Amino acid sequence: MLSWRNTPDVNVLDPVTDFRLSMPDSHFPSDPVETWWSVLIEIENTSIDKFEAALSEHASDLLIPVAYDATDRAKVRLLQPVTIFARKALIDVLNQIENPYGVVSLRLGAVTPERFLDHDATSSSMKRVTVSDDAVVMAVIDDGIAIAHDLLRKDRTETRVEHATIFEADPRKIDSHCSIGRALNREDINGILRDCTHNGLLNEESFYAQSGQVDLKAQVVSTVAQRVSHGTHVAAIAASQPMQHADDKRPVICAVLPSRVVEDTTGLDLLPILYLAFHILSKQAGRFHIHNKGPAPVVFNFSFGNTGGPHDGTGLFAGMFDHFFGVDSDMAKRGQKAWITLPVGNSNLGRMHAEASDGTADMALDLMVQPDDHTPSNIQVWLPTSAEDNQPDFATVHVTVPGSGQRGAIQTQPGQSVSLTNDAGEEIARLAYQYIGGRTKRGLVTLTLSPTADLDRDPVLAPAGLWQLEIVRNDGAPDGVIHAWVRRDETLPGSRSGGRQAYFDDLGYVRFDRFGAPLATDPPASDCPVRRAGTLSGFACGPEPIVVAGYSEREAELSGYSSAGPLNPRGEAPGLDREGPDLAAKSDDSYLLRGVFSAGSRSGSWVRLSGTSVASPRVARAAADGIHDGSGDGRGWSHAAAKRHPFDLDPDTERSRAGAGGITIPIWSER
């Protein structure tokens, strides 16, 4: 029989990490004790060198990537995010609130097979590259980037890709300069191109085998082995040139994310490797210089979204872009102009966001957890801002299990955590409170559920069905809207099946308009707690990124899936000048002809993909033409560009969905 009980040993920085590490052995691909994980930590008032020295007794369980060079390692910052690779014994130590190592926050990433780690890698020298006055470096972070595609080459055996970090590849046996996967420079790529070109034709299967991206025998699988790969499609929109007309004005640097973290879209698995990818590419961008004029400008595109985080411009998701692109970033300090484009997200119709109708109301939510879900589900409830030394007891949070009717509850106070266990005493769900400090200053309640399906003979599973989440305001609690978000965990197209998306279910939610089409905005005066407003990607809430919505060209309307603002109010903290996305670009030719054309995984092929992730690189392409002009920031440029090259959307379109409006950006294949 299922039962709720107090969680033992709850004195942890991150209850979700503790829950995931406590899951039964069947949920891990190998011995959990020997399993390596990517982990994002934040260390306070210390350096990486001092942190590593303090952990000398745990050295066998720790790998700090060589991407952090001697300068990085000696630097002391008030708060410094660092990606590490570690095993369970060390992670458990670092996840303690009272740990003596300066770790103040921790997020668990993905299981990282040890074969992809190189403990003996050494730092590489950053060779300076001189480029023309009008050159702009294009940086792409995505999965499955076909770096040998003819749209990324300038000759049969000469690439435009100056650097590629491939995180999911066996390390190079000689001269390895990457602690995970392998790093290829232009000479490396050109060498493989020459080896794999015969009679003027490139054997692309052989190329991707030699680059380390595909090794089916060793079970290294990338979407470049398929007809459609998201990263190739996006990179081609952002930076493609016909090979016969290619020039040196748009050198490309890229980081290819592991397929295993892309298959789990929660953002929890993705975050550590993502911080490492941005760290690597921001350093690579510093190699490019315009003769006698300093660093060349760089435009980044990252076409992923997520539904996690406080959605107020703070936290590890939005804070990542402040760290790499803000006024105190390394790129800013060396005088390098750097912009980044992000999609607004595709969760507008996903029923994954809920909020009370006003700042004093209770909230009752039905959470539909689907059967045959092979990934954990995670729900975040973010409370109004408060001081760490005065955390109001805003509410009592109740969770009722489907079928059994078992009801667990916590108060929104430190140390509150209850676990749902089965007959064998195995934990299958956890409801916990934690305080997120820094700039966020909010209490966070997390409900984490085990998968509802597993191929193991004796799986430890959470029940599928209608879970009930009830948030009851306590007497005397301060006003302020409480928000809830379901973390996205649905399997993406082209990935191995596994995740099925949980969502909020409410009888008052109006899904369709009077003609039977999906309703893209909340009905006026609706008091339904499940909202389309506030679905803006958790990555896209900060002040730095150019955030791009998607529209359907033929109908001249925003695509129904394109997410919306506004942001979660920040209380006493200074607000952000962001109501939602900055502008909208084409993501669909029409409602019936979904998506836009761009490169398939092989040279000469063309495929369609839809979503705001294909609208974002269109703006990145235009930003490369505009970044040299003036001294403004990327967002200011995007607002002006939408006015200079407008695409007329429905005049009733809300600013919280379209920003400054639609923009017309043809790419070369459409001219």
Side-chain angles (χ1 to χ4, degrees):
M1 180 177 177
L2 302 180
S3 61
W4 290 95
R5 60 189 67 177
N6 289 332
T7 307
D9 303 324
V10 294
N11 191 33
V12 294
L13 290 170
D14 183 40
V16 175
T17 293
D18 188 61
F19 176 86
R20 291 177 64 197
L21 289 176
S22 303
M23 292 173 71
D25 293 0
S26 62
H27 292 288
F28 302 98
S30 58
D31 180 0
V33 175
E34 297 300 320
T35 297
W36 286 84
W37 299 80
S38 60
V39 185
L40 180 67
I41 59 173
E42 284 186 299
I43 53 178
E44 186 177 45
N45 286 323
T46 190
S47 67
I48 297 174
D49 275 337
K50 291 178 180 177
F51 167 76
E52 186 175 28
L55 284 167
S56 57
E57 62 182 294
H58 297 281
S60 61
D61 291 326
L62 173 67
L63 172 61
I64 298 177
V66 295
Y68 297 102
D69 60 23
T71 303
D72 298 323
R73 290 170 182 250
K75 201 175 295 181
V76 177
R77 287 180 171 170
L78 177 63
L79 203 62
Q80 183 171 189
V82 184
T83 295
I84 64 173
F85 296 92
R87 291 192 280 205
K88 183 179 185 300
L90 176 56
I91 301 170
D92 285 337
V93 170
L94 298 180
N95 198 30
Q96 297 301 307
I97 290 177
E98 303 299 331
N99 77 83
Y101 304 109
V103 177
V104 295
S105 77
L106 181 147
R107 292 294 182 272
L108 189 66
V111 169
T112 304
E114 189 170 11
R115 57 177 289 203
F116 296 141
L117 298 177
D118 188 348
H119 298 263
D120 300 318
T122 57
S123 295
S124 62
S125 58
M126 291 287 176
K127 204 185 277 187
R128 182 168 172 151
V129 179
T130 302
V131 294
S132 61
D133 288 359
D134 54 355
V136 177
V137 181
M138 303 302 295
V140 180
I141 298 176
D142 217 298
D143 74 304
I145 302 176
I147 58 176
H149 201 285
D150 59 3
L151 295 178
L152 299 178
R153 283 185 275 148
K154 54 185 177 182
D155 200 348
R156 294 185 184 277
T157 58
E158 191 170 358
T159 184
R160 291 173 45 233
V161 178
E162 291 281 349
H163 173 87
T165 292
I166 302 166
F167 287 117
E168 194 165 48
D170 288 330
R172 304 172 73 175
K173 293 181 171 52
I174 301 174
D175 294 331
S176 172
H177 301 300
C178 197
S179 295
I180 174 172
R182 63 178 67 178
L184 303 176
N185 59 31
R186 182 169 58 85
E187 290 77 15
D188 296 326
I189 298 170
N190 286 343
I192 303 174
L193 286 172
R194 288 192 295 269
D195 288 346
C196 298
T197 298
H198 309 284
N199 298 321
L201 297 175
L202 175 64
N203 184 334
E204 294 184 65
E205 277 62 35
S206 178
F207 177 93
Y208 295 116
Q210 288 196 37
S211 70
Q213 290 174 269
V214 177
D215 187 344
L216 299 181
K217 184 178 179 180
Q219 296 186 339
V220 178
V221 180
S222 167
T223 50
V224 297
Q226 302 174 3
R227 176 172 169 265
V228 181
S229 57
H230 186 272
T232 307
H233 196 276
V234 166
I237 294 175
S240 66
Q241 292 181 340
M243 189 169 66
Q244 62 273 26
H245 302 302
D247 54 40
D248 295 319
K249 295 179 181 179
R250 296 292 182 268
V252 177
I253 57 176
C254 62
V256 185
L257 301 174
S259 60
R260 63 184 181 278
V261 302
V262 174
E263 287 166 2
D264 185 339
T265 59
T266 59
L268 288 169
D269 277 5
L270 181 64
L271 200 58
I273 208 74
L274 191 56
Y275 264 82
L276 182 58
F278 273 102
H279 180 82
I280 290 170
L281 292 195
S282 66
K283 283 193 167 297
Q284 286 292 327
R287 297 168 51 212
F288 296 86
H289 286 256
I290 295 172
H291 186 63
N292 293 330
K293 291 186 179 180
V298 55
V299 175
F300 282 73
N301 183 82
F302 174 58
S303 280
F304 280 69
N306 82 94
T307 56
H311 288 76
D312 63 357
T314 70
L316 283 172
F317 295 114
M320 173 168 57
F321 303 108
D322 287 342
H323 179 74
F324 290 109
F325 297 90
V327 293
D328 294 325
S329 68
D330 289 342
M331 286 190 288
K333 288 177 179 177
R334 65 178 175 244
Q336 185 166 34
K337 195 180 237 186
W339 294 352
I340 179 169
T341 55
L342 296 178
V344 71
N346 302 330
S347 62
N348 190 54
L349 303 176
R351 290 180 283 171
M352 291 186 279
H353 171 232
E355 62 181 79
S357 57
D358 61 55
T360 61
D362 299 341
M363 185 160 52
L365 298 167
D366 288 339
L367 174 70
M368 179 59 73
V369 178
Q370 301 203 59
D372 200 32
D373 185 0
H374 291 253
T375 60
S377 295
N378 184 262
I379 294 84
Q380 294 185 339
V381 179
W382 287 92
L383 304 176
T385 55
S386 62
E388 185 170 10
D389 58 357
N390 183 26
Q391 300 173 42
D393 192 359
F394 280 100
T396 304
V397 181
H398 304 268
V399 173
T400 305
V401 184
S404 71
Q406 290 290 328
R407 198 173 195 224
I410 62 168
Q411 299 295 121
T412 52
Q413 287 289 279
Q416 289 281 300
S417 179
V418 293
S419 297
L420 180 66
T421 59
N422 59 17
D423 291 340
E426 297 164 315
E427 187 179 26
I428 59 175
R430 185 181 300 186
L431 178 67
Y433 172 87
Q434 65 186 118
Y435 182 80
I436 308 299
R439 294 189 303 147
T440 302
K441 296 183 173 60
R442 294 181 187 272
L444 168 64
V445 175
T446 53
L447 172 61
T448 310
L449 309 176
S450 291
T452 61
D454 195 282
L455 298 178
D456 188 67
R457 180 175 297 177
D458 298 306
V460 179
L461 305 174
L466 208 61
W467 293 66
Q468 293 176 319
L469 180 65
E470 188 177 4
I471 302 168
V472 180
R473 291 270 185 170
N474 292 328
D475 292 339
D479 295 350
V481 177
I482 296 174
H483 291 260
W485 280 275
V486 182
R487 299 300 304 278
R488 181 179 172 187
D489 76 331
E490 188 170 26
T491 298
L492 296 175
S495 300
R496 289 175 291 185
S497 61
R500 297 195 68 203
Q501 184 62 56
Y503 59 90
F504 293 126
D505 194 19
D506 191 281
L507 290 175
Y509 184 85
V510 181
R511 291 187 64 191
F512 305 106
D513 64 18
R514 58 183 177 173
F515 301 110
L519 189 63
T521 57
D522 296 309
S526 171
D527 60 357
C528 176
V530 183
R531 312 291 293 176
R532 298 164 181 84
T535 51
L536 183 74
S537 166
F539 288 134
C541 297
E544 298 298 333
I546 303 169
V547 180
V548 186
Y551 65 71
S552 180
E553 185 175 52
R554 185 177 182 85
E555 290 80 10
E557 293 182 351
L558 288 182
S559 299
Y561 52 74
S562 184
S563 296
L567 268 62
N568 191 0
R570 295 184 63 185
E572 297 177 0
L576 294 176
D577 179 24
R578 183 181 292 287
E579 298 176 56
D582 290 294
L583 74 170
K586 184 169 78 167
S587 59
D588 295 292
D589 284 327
S590 72
Y591 286 165
L592 295 178
L593 204 58
R594 297 283 296 273
V596 297
F597 274 119
S598 185
S601 297
R602 292 296 175 267
S603 298
S605 66
W606 294 86
V607 295
R608 282 187 174 275
L609 279 180
S610 179
T612 56
S613 60
V614 301
S616 176
R618 297 181 85 89
V619 176
R621 189 181 194 92
D625 293 329
I627 194 169
H628 280 290
D629 301 332
S631 58
D633 62 8
R635 293 184 62 202
W637 165 85
S638 70
H639 300 166
K643 291 180 172 59
R644 286 196 304 270
H645 308 287
F647 178 85
D648 293 330
L649 295 169
D650 186 318
D652 294 331
T653 304
E654 298 173 358
R655 187 175 179 84
S656 63
R657 292 198 68 214
I663 186 171
T664 301
I665 307 170
I667 62 175
W668 66 266
S669 62
E670 299 171 335
R671 289 173 180 163

